[in-house]
Amino acid sequence: MKPQIFVTRRLPQGAMDLLEENFNVECNPNDRVLTREELLSSVKGKQGLLPLLTETVDGEVMDAAGKGLRIVANYAVGYNNIDLAAATARKIAVTNTPGVLTETTADLTMGLILSVARRIVEADTFARAGKYRNWAPLLLVGADIHNKTLGLFGFGRIGFAVARRAAGFDMRILYHDLKRAEAELEKQVNAEYVDKETLLKESDFVSVHVPLSPDTLHMIGPEELSSMKSTAFIINTSRGEVIDEDALVAALGAKKIAGAGLDVFEHEPKIHPALAKMDNVVILPHIGSASIETRTQMGLVAAKNMIAALRGDVPPNCLNPEIYV
Ligand code: DGY
């Protein structure tokens, strides 16, 4: 008999097909996030759970599944929605989908940099409203991107992919991370490792590419925002909680920084009402990885993790391989 799995939201068809070939798949029939009660009752008796970042998978959910649960295959590279320690304690594998969304997320990051600096969304709204009467020297003037300085917090896969793109715009690239990258990687994009203060002080664009953890929660707060240039922009395609959103609203309101490009929010899907009123903020509904190619690949990676774990192998993207020793 095929193992029973639960998928919390319908995935692109290619991924659903692969899952259905291998498992008895039960899937959330509705196009909405499950309630906590629905999640707790749906996991009962399943050997595999495939959640999204919209579900908190903690010990209670794992226990609701029962003793047979062997894998939580997250449909995301970030896994702050999963209690990894609780899974490890119960010998349940946890996997994510690294790699396949790197380039797509980096594309969107560049999109935010371009949009916010060149006022693309504002200009589109202006033109659609029938306000374009004459070309004018100061009509919707923004800031240049080329030859400017990009500061990257986090120089992992996505940070580096953004740096590669930025190098094509002749940007100077600074980065800060827990540890310095290999000289060869730095050389490829001409990136300079700097301390946090230098990055904040010298960058025209500060872009955040760190995972959410207790160490990165509110990593950008009032002090950091005050250290930035008043002409600088902040970009976030990682996790909303990395930036203290009240501090961001205050800094934007006081014109301590020039603008923000945000794909993620501290209380997602809620967006701070003040941000939504600011013309110098571009707001996207967490679409960093949202291309059909990438969302399909993410589903295939999650499915392959599930297949390996339920066959008794260590899944390729296992975050707690220690459960297998
Ligand atoms: C992730 O994978 O962590 C993104 O936020 C969604 O693709």
Side-chain angles (χ1 to χ4, degrees):
M1 212 175 81
K2 288 178 181 175
Q4 309 264 358
I5 69 160
F6 184 67
V7 179
T8 63
R9 195 88 177 251
R10 205 171 164 78
L11 305 180
Q13 195 55 49
M16 291 307 296
D17 290 345
L18 182 60
L19 289 168
E20 275 157 8
E21 272 165 36
N22 288 277
F23 307 114
N24 281 326
V25 181
E26 206 178 290
C27 180
N28 172 4
N30 307 305
D31 191 20
R32 61 163 173 79
V33 177
L34 293 167
T35 63
R36 179 83 179 165
E37 290 65 37
E38 286 169 335
L39 177 62
L40 290 170
S41 68
S42 304
V43 290
K44 202 161 179 259
K46 304 295 185 300
Q47 284 98 67
L49 170 62
L50 198 155
L52 319 183
L53 49 84
T54 44
E55 282 90 39
T56 299
V57 181
D58 52 17
E60 188 188 14
V61 172
M62 296 169 201
D63 292 340
K67 292 255 182 282
L69 184 66
R70 282 156 60 201
I71 176 165
V72 177
N74 211 28
Y75 181 72
V77 64
Y79 52 91
N80 52 286
N81 58 313
I82 298 176
D83 186 338
L84 190 59
T88 305
R90 291 164 177 76
K91 297 219 175 302
I92 298 167
V94 177
T95 60
N96 65 344
T97 63
V100 288
L101 49 80
T102 301
E103 304 298 329
T104 304
T105 307
D107 287 346
L108 191 90
T109 307
M110 286 312 290
L112 278 173
I113 292 174
L114 289 160
S115 303
V116 78
R118 296 301 306 275
R119 303 173 65 180
I120 293 174
V121 176
E122 206 186 331
D124 178 272
T125 307
F126 175 89
R128 282 172 198 269
K131 292 184 183 165
Y132 178 39
R133 302 259 160 33
N134 319 95
W135 187 93
L138 292 178
L139 177 64
L140 287 157
V141 291
D144 272 333
I145 291 130
H146 64 273
N147 295 337
K148 294 285 180 71
T149 299
L150 171 66
L152 298 164
F153 276 116
F155 201 58
R157 279 181 294 259
I158 298 175
F160 182 73
V162 173
R164 276 197 350 259
R165 284 156 177 75
F169 280 83
D170 293 326
M171 297 182 92
R172 175 183 175 221
I173 296 156
L174 308 179
Y175 77 96
H176 182 74
D177 207 327
L178 287 180
K179 75 178 201 320
R180 191 170 172 169
E182 301 276 312
E184 180 47 37
L185 273 192
E186 288 186 354
K187 214 170 102 198
Q188 275 180 41
V189 291
N190 213 5
E192 298 161 49
Y193 181 72
V194 292
D195 59 31
K196 191 174 161 181
E197 292 68 36
T198 308
L199 187 149
L200 290 164
K201 225 169 53 206
E202 295 191 8
S203 298
D204 299 298
F205 298 88
V206 171
S207 192
V208 181
H209 302 283
V210 295
L212 177 63
S213 73
D215 293 336
T216 60
L217 176 74
H218 285 189
M219 188 185 97
I220 306 285
E223 209 180 302
E224 287 73 21
L225 291 159
S226 298
S227 303
M228 287 172 62
K229 296 182 188 179
S230 61
T231 50
F233 300 90
I234 190 146
I235 311 294
N236 192 4
T237 54
S238 62
R239 287 289 182 267
E241 296 93 323
V242 172
I243 299 182
D244 175 342
E245 211 161 83
D246 286 332
L248 177 62
V249 166
L252 287 163
K255 302 209 179 323
K256 284 192 177 154
I257 62 169
L262 306 171
D263 186 41
V264 288
F265 304 90
E266 187 167 353
H267 305 290
E268 214 167 300
K270 282 201 194 105
I271 295 170
H272 197 300
L275 290 175
K277 291 197 188 109
M278 294 175 178
D279 286 339
N280 54 345
V281 180
V282 174
I283 290 176
L284 302 178
H286 204 148
I287 56 165
S289 62
S291 70
I292 189 61
E293 295 91 340
T294 289
R295 289 284 166 87
T296 303
Q297 282 306 319
M298 288 165 66
L300 293 174
V301 168
K304 287 175 190 164
N305 283 324
M306 184 78 86
I307 292 167
L310 294 183
R311 208 172 37 206
D313 297 336
V314 182
N317 307 111
C318 192
L319 297 162
N320 53 352
E322 63 272 27
I323 67 164
Y324 289 99
V325 290

